């Protein structure tokens, strides 16, 4: 059975590299290294959660790596990013230190949110990552608001706003889309449609199962994207960013992707079949990029293995950094509440 699965994966990956590569060696090598880092980081996070070193909620991105990596190469350094609570991979794609992300998972003071946010509330202003957000759909109007600020200030920047397929049931989604198109805001709305929201399929929760069509209600240019292909993600985001920078307003992209793990670490994912899971693993974006690299002679198996070993060491070092970092002092409860130091409601 294992041999059959390996052959299926190889066949699938081979099918994706028959045509000439669309991007440079440097881009493919960057994608490979970043997506491997996301995968290894999330695998280690799952292990640590099982050991109870990471507590609270934990939502892994395994299988969805192309959604973040492809967008990162399509956007510019000063563009803004915001997402929901499956949020470890996006800052990794943007360059946040794995040490700071792992420390945040451990609730340590050296974390990117000073240990106050944990798995679901990562922020990194330095790389323009405007955070993971725990309230379903709350980040959608916030993303539109960030885009409003960029337009108001004439920066030329865009805001890419990620959400899960379950979030499109929220009223805020429709309100934000309506306002964004009315005001022609430079925002890219991305539905990371992994098929199941928390654990219920799209087919059971909506009459509209092709979710990109929801954007058409507001005359927003909308399209589905094969988000198991990092190339397709890059191309779709690049088109949307070009429209936004030209003042033509928002785009809605439905990233059709898949998570290999459950919704969270507490989800046994019994609502899907093993055959379905294996089918998606056969389309794995990392394996497809690896096949393209090997086919074009840009690296050998041994060189890619060396990259993988280096990444494993980086992840292990992040664990050691997190374990050796201190917890926040009790006084930290009273900091980072108001941005204004002399806010009227602060009392001695």
């Amino acid at each position: 059975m294992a041999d059959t699965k390996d052959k299926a994966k190889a066949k699938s990956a081979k099918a994706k590299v028959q045509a000439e590569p669309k991007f440079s060696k440097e881009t493919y090598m960057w994608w490979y290294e970043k997506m491997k880092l996301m995968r290894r980081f999330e695998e280690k996070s799952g292990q640590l959660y099982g050991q109870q070193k990471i507590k609270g909620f934990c939502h892994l991105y395994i299988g969805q790596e192309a959604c973040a990596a492809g967008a990162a190469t399509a956007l510019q350094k000063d563009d803004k990013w915001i997402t929901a609570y499956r949020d470890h991979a996006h800052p990794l794609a943007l360059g946040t230190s794995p040490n700071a992300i792992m420390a945040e998972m451990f609730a340590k003071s050296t974390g990117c949110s000073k240990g106050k946010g944990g798995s679901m509330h990562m922020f990194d202003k330095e790389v323009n990552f405007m955070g993971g957000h725990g309230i379903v759909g709350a980040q959608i109007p916030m993303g539109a608001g960030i885009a409003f600020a960029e337009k108001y200030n004439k920066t030329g920047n865009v805001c890419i706003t990620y959400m899960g397929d379950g979030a499109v049931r929220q009223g805020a989604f429709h309100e934000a889309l309506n306002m964004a198109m009315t005001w022609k805001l430079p925002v890219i709305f991305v539905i990371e449609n992994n098929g199941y929201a928390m654990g219920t399929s799209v087919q059971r929760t909506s009459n509209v199962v092709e979710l990109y069509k929801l954007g058409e209600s507001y005359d927003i240019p909308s399209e589905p994207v094969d988000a198991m292909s990092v190339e397709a993600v890059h191309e779709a985001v690049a088109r949307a960013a070009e429209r936004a920078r030209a003042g033509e307003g928002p785009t809605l992209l439905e990233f059709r992707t898949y998570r290999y793990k459950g919704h969270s670490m507490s989800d046994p994912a019994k609502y899907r079949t093993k055959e379905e899971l294996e089918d998606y693993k056969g389309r794995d974006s990392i394996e497809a990029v690896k096949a393209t690299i090997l086919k074009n002679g840009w690296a050998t198996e041994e060189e890619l293995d060396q990259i993988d070993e280096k990444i494993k060491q980086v992840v292990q070092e992040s664990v050691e950094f997190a374990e050796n970092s201190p917890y926040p002092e009790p006084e930290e409860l009273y900091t980072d509440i108001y941005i204004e130091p002399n806010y009227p409601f602060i009392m001695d």
Side-chain angles (χ1 to χ4, degrees), residues 170-278:
Q170 296 284 355
F173 167 80
H174 299 273
E175 294 165 352
L177 262 61
N178 182 56
M179 294 170 73
M181 193 57 182
T182 300
W183 294 338
K184 299 296 186 290
L185 300 182
V187 57
I188 305 170
F189 295 111
V190 173
I191 304 169
E192 291 183 298
N193 183 4
N194 57 35
Y196 289 102
M198 288 185 69
T200 305
S201 69
V202 172
Q203 287 78 6
R204 293 180 61 195
T205 59
S206 176
N207 184 57
V208 179
V209 296
E210 294 187 297
L211 300 182
Y212 74 93
K213 292 183 177 179
L214 296 172
E216 295 174 351
S217 302
Y218 304 96
D219 289 336
I220 295 177
S222 307
E223 63 177 294
V225 180
D226 175 10
M228 302 303 286
S229 164
V230 69
E231 296 97 335
V233 169
H234 175 104
E235 290 171 337
V237 173
R239 288 192 298 271
E242 184 177 6
R243 284 193 67 259
R245 296 189 213 283
E248 297 175 15
T251 299
L252 174 66
L253 302 175
E254 180 192 344
F255 282 3
R256 293 177 175 175
T257 184
Y258 201 80
R259 51 174 165 77
Y260 298 167
K261 301 295 183 180
H263 171 71
S264 69
M265 288 299 296
S266 61
D267 174 16
K270 292 182 179 180
Y271 41 80
R272 61 187 181 186
T273 65
K274 292 180 180 179
E275 290 76 18
E276 179 182 283
L277 176 59
E278 291 303 321

Side-chain angles (χ1 to χ4, degrees), residues 83 96 109 202 223 254 296 307 322 324 327 347:
T83 190
T96 301
S109 62
V202 172
E223 63 177 294
E254 180 192 344
N296 288 277
I307 290 173
N324 294 326
Y327 287 105
M347 303 177 65

